[in-house]
Amino acid sequence: MPDDDVTTPWLVVGLGNPGGEYAGNRHNIGFMVADLLAERMGGKFKAHKARAQVLEGRIGPPGPANRRIVLAKPMSFMNLSGGPVTALRDFYKVPLDRIIAVHDELDIDYATLRLKLGGGDNGHNGLKSMTKSMGPDYHRVRCGIGRPPGRMQVADFVLKDFSSTERKELDWFVDRSADAVEALVLEGLERAQSTYNS
């Protein structure tokens, strides 16, 4: 069921590392999705005192069905994401179940999505930091990046850019991930899961 409260905003957090050298990394797919959502909302990110880039706007059809969104990219590094996200939660008075973390997920095949509420961090440093700060009961849009090949270390794999083969599908994947975020906000978790959990 979609949530009928239209006044309380949703906080959508794309997880990633700030800085040009990280921009194309697998670990930064959350930032890529946030950038696309910002484009769709027709706005630009602005610096916020919570050490994040923030864009306030709305998604959905005009009128009573649309929803307030605070779109954020923490400007701490990934493993410190909890601080900025908690500060934004407090500043905008967002309940935990209206927070969505968009992040890379090793245990799902590349270009596959899973949406869920709550759960563990699966070794993801951004989620670990958020859960430590706020508890686990926020939504996740998990963007599959697959496992590292051969003996490559996980840390090396996530901090590498997508391969040329992966990049052929990347725009489509980021687009679908942004669609999933919008569906989660506008239609509720169950409907969004039935559409996007592949």
Side-chain angles (χ1 to χ4, degrees):
M1 267 297 290
D3 192 327
D4 288 333
D5 173 6
V6 293
T7 53
T8 307
W10 284 77
L11 175 57
V12 177
V13 182
L15 293 180
N17 285 309
E21 69 270 37
Y22 300 105
N25 289 179
R26 292 183 177 93
H27 222 17
N28 270 40
I29 194 161
F31 272 18
M32 296 173 197
V33 174
D35 286 339
L36 179 59
L37 286 165
E39 205 177 293
R40 290 182 180 184
M41 287 160 68
K44 286 201 171 7
F45 284 102
K46 293 186 173 70
H48 190 280
K49 63 182 181 184
R51 283 183 309 144
Q53 294 279 326
V54 168
L55 168 62
E56 296 177 55
R58 290 184 172 275
I59 62 168
N66 72 17
R67 295 287 182 269
R68 278 181 69 201
I69 294 278
V70 176
L71 190 57
K73 298 190 295 186
M75 290 289 115
S76 59
F77 281 91
M78 180 71 89
N79 58 349
L80 300 171
S81 302
V85 177
T86 304
L88 289 170
R89 176 199 69 181
D90 295 347
F91 183 84
Y92 289 103
K93 301 180 174 50
V94 181
L96 196 53
D97 64 358
R98 280 192 168 225
I99 296 174
I100 301 171
V102 185
H103 63 92
D104 57 306
E105 178 62 70
L106 287 158
D107 284 342
I108 303 174
D109 290 340
Y110 177 64
T112 302
L113 282 173
R114 294 267 192 290
L115 282 66
K116 70 173 189 174
L117 174 63
D121 57 54
N122 217 6
H124 191 288
N125 288 332
L127 297 182
K128 198 176 286 181
S129 177
M130 283 179 61
T131 297
K132 191 175 168 195
S133 294
M134 308 186 299
D137 298 325
Y138 50 90
H139 287 89
R140 296 99 191 276
V141 173
R142 304 159 73 206
C143 306
I145 59 168
R147 302 292 309 184
R151 297 189 173 175
M152 188 190 285
Q153 294 294 312
V154 163
D156 294 333
F157 179 68
V158 298
L159 293 175
K160 279 205 172 14
D161 286 2
F162 288 99
S163 69
S164 53
T165 311
E166 288 169 333
R167 279 200 295 272
K168 288 177 185 151
E169 272 191 281
L170 185 58
D171 284 351
W172 171 85
F173 185 30
V174 169
D175 197 59
R176 187 169 168 79
S177 303
D179 289 347
V181 171
E182 291 180 347
L184 178 51
V185 171
L186 296 168
E187 299 170 18
L189 180 62
E190 281 179 25
R191 282 191 64 179
Q193 281 175 325
S194 68
T195 307
Y196 292 97
N197 278 17
S198 33

